[in-house]
Amino acid sequence: MERAVRAAEQALIEFEIAVETFRVEVENFSRLHHQRLGPMYSRLDELEAQIAEARAASTGDPEDVRKAQEARARVMPMPGIEELFHDWLDSDGLSPEASAMLTEQPVRPPQRVRPSDEARKLYRELVRKAHPDLAQDDTERARRDEFISRVNAAYGRGDEALLRELSEEWAAGPVPEEWRPSRSEELYARLEWLAQRKEMLALVARELEESAIGGMLRIAPDDPDRLLEEIAEQLLTQVSEREAELAGLLGSGA
């Protein structure tokens, strides 16, 4: 039973590492997605509204007027949109960086916080060594909880240097007490808790995989940046098409 508990603990830790690694990838890709493509989506919404308004002005049809109002409502400012697009929008609309991107001019790359391979390696090693589930008493669990929270924060920022410092800190810390056999009832309870924890993590993993960003990462797990470029190319094509459509409507109504 003791071996079974140890094996279950290690399996759970490995599963948690996989889930957390994927969560960071989803979070970082989501940030890059908003930074890189947010202005294009905003431009498309604006063009759709202008097209609908031009069509309504031309036909005077009540249905066209209703559609124009709905299209315009979709591009009304939303709370926190500047923060959402990470400085790609300003008080005058599209920022210079966003305008440059839409016209295929050189533009500063979005901030990248994807952890390096070495950071991933350090993170996995630290979690395997310092995971709170390996604690044998409340004092040790509290120490591990606090330490792992700092490890997760450093990994989320892709801070390889800090992860190295944390690795040295853990190596110099107190040595955990040697495992002591527990009573059978406690071991059974431990296995039950581990199973419940794994079920919860499985739900988190499923939600990440089924999210829109998670789905994108599954399409191109080895080269997500290229996927962003492909989507950007598609959006640029759509922007050009909408601009041509709008010019045609405005020209025909002149």
Side-chain angles (χ1 to χ4, degrees):
M1 181 63 69
E2 183 177 328
R3 287 195 298 270
V5 169
R6 288 183 177 180
E9 287 175 340
Q10 291 302 317
L12 181 63
I13 289 172
E14 294 297 325
F15 189 40
E16 287 198 35
I17 289 173
V19 172
E20 178 63 14
T21 299
F22 187 54
R23 186 197 66 76
V24 169
E25 288 294 322
V26 169
E27 182 178 290
N28 289 335
F29 189 73
S30 178
R31 184 181 295 109
L32 291 174
H33 179 270
H34 286 311
Q35 290 175 332
R36 181 74 171 88
L37 306 181
M40 295 188 184
Y41 287 121
S42 178
R43 177 61 174 163
L44 277 173
D45 285 343
E46 175 63 30
L47 287 169
E48 293 286 0
Q50 291 183 18
I51 288 170
E53 289 167 346
R55 184 174 293 112
S58 174
T59 65
D61 187 289
E63 181 64 15
D64 287 340
V65 172
R66 182 188 65 80
K67 291 180 179 178
Q69 292 172 342
E70 290 181 352
R72 175 53 59 189
R74 285 194 292 269
V75 296
M76 289 179 64
M78 298 294 287
I81 194 167
E82 292 82 3
E83 180 181 356
L84 176 64
F85 289 142
H86 298 269
D87 299 327
W88 285 98
L89 298 176
D90 55 29
S91 59
D92 297 323
L94 293 178
S95 67
E97 290 84 359
S99 298
M101 180 179 63
L102 288 172
T103 55
E104 299 186 275
Q105 298 297 314
V107 61
R108 68 180 184 184
Q111 180 184 7
R112 297 182 183 277
V113 293
R114 186 173 299 134
S116 65
D117 290 341
E118 182 62 20
R120 295 181 188 183
K121 178 183 177 182
L122 289 167
Y123 170 75
R124 292 188 177 98
E125 290 176 351
L126 282 168
V127 174
R128 291 184 183 117
K129 294 175 181 177
H131 199 284
D133 289 349
L134 298 178
Q136 300 304 305
D137 56 56
D138 291 341
T139 300
E140 177 65 12
R141 172 173 284 277
R143 184 176 82 91
R144 288 171 176 263
D145 278 335
E146 187 276 334
F147 183 79
I148 286 296
S149 68
R150 288 189 285 143
V151 170
N152 287 337
Y155 180 65
R157 297 192 300 272
D159 193 334
E160 183 178 325
L162 181 54
L163 287 171
R164 290 186 184 280
E165 292 179 9
L166 290 169
S167 183
E168 294 174 359
E169 176 184 329
W170 183 259
V175 178
E177 294 182 6
E178 185 179 352
W179 172 270
R180 292 175 297 178
S182 302
R183 292 177 301 175
S184 297
E185 293 81 4
E186 293 177 333
L187 291 173
Y188 276 117
R190 181 66 169 164
L191 283 174
E192 183 177 358
W193 181 89
L194 290 168
Q196 292 173 349
R197 176 70 175 170
K198 185 175 182 180
E199 288 181 7
M200 185 275 291
L201 286 171
L203 290 175
V204 173
R206 188 176 303 116
E207 290 178 356
L208 288 170
E209 291 172 352
E210 294 177 354
S211 67
I213 297 298
M216 288 183 180
L217 282 175
R218 288 201 307 275
I219 293 174
D222 298 326
D223 193 6
D225 291 335
R226 178 54 192 163
L227 177 60
L228 284 179
E229 293 300 325
E230 291 176 356
I231 297 174
E233 291 172 4
Q234 295 172 6
L235 290 175
L236 282 172
T237 298
Q238 293 179 38
V239 166
S240 297
E241 292 173 348
R242 298 300 187 278
E243 287 176 340
E245 182 179 356
L246 178 62
L249 286 170
L250 295 176
S252 65

